[in-house]
Amino acid sequence: MTNDTSALSPTLPDEVRPELVNAMIRLRPGGLAWRRTFPGRLEQVPRARRFVRFLLEDSPLSYDIEQITAELAANAVVHTSSGHLGGTFTVEVTRKPAVVRVSVYDCGWGGTPRFKQCEDDGLAERERGLAIVAALASRAGFRGT
């Protein structure tokens, strides 16, 4: 008698099969959600990236979502009062089997975000973060003023 569990084992010892991950996510009707608040300083942006990277390590979307998080977190710190003394920003990740949503909440009192394609110099170092978000995300938007 043999004990063949190859159909149940991941392909590599450090991987979990996607269908098993999705089964765990489906246990929560609204998906899984995590939230973390960071001090409103630019040096916190890499920490926000690592937070998302850790949560989505097994997702094929992890690199794009990590970049989206970095752009939104940097915008929160640079363009809103999140970057002022005592300011914060919060990163929220919601994961469902076919959808990952990342939200960055800022302290407000900044400009209204514009998700547009880069029209001018594609090599410009400024004002292209939200265009990157729009290009990587299937949907992008904002709430509030």
Side-chain angles (χ1 to χ4, degrees):
M1 184 167 172
T2 62
N3 186 4
D4 183 16
T5 59
S6 61
L8 300 176
S9 299
T11 55
L12 295 173
D14 293 339
E15 292 182 356
V16 177
R17 292 190 0 234
E19 57 270 17
L20 297 177
V21 172
N22 289 341
M24 294 301 293
I25 293 170
R26 283 190 198 99
L27 292 175
R28 302 266 314 156
L32 299 175
W34 302 270
R35 189 178 300 134
R36 182 172 172 194
T37 300
F38 298 87
R41 297 189 309 270
L42 279 174
E43 66 266 14
Q44 295 297 311
V45 173
R47 290 184 176 177
R49 285 182 79 129
R50 284 192 297 271
F51 171 65
V52 171
R53 183 183 316 136
F54 171 75
L55 294 174
L56 301 175
E57 181 180 335
D58 62 325
S59 171
L61 304 172
S62 65
Y63 293 112
D64 289 350
I65 295 170
E66 185 181 335
Q67 183 65 40
I68 289 168
T69 301
E71 297 295 343
L72 295 177
N75 276 1
V77 173
V78 171
H79 298 294
T80 76
S81 61
S82 287
H84 296 172
L85 184 62
T88 62
F89 66 93
T90 300
V91 175
E92 180 180 76
V93 177
T94 306
R95 185 171 182 182
K96 297 179 181 179
V99 176
V100 176
R101 178 180 176 173
V102 63
S103 301
V104 176
Y105 300 95
D106 60 49
C107 291
W109 307 296
T112 302
R114 290 179 293 146
F115 292 90
K116 62 178 183 168
Q117 298 298 323
C118 291
E119 297 169 2
D120 299 328
D121 182 10
L123 299 175
E125 291 187 27
R126 300 186 58 80
E127 298 185 15
R128 60 183 189 148
L130 293 181
I132 291 170
V133 170
L136 293 175
S138 60
R139 277 191 339 196
F142 70 96
R143 290 189 186 151
T145 57

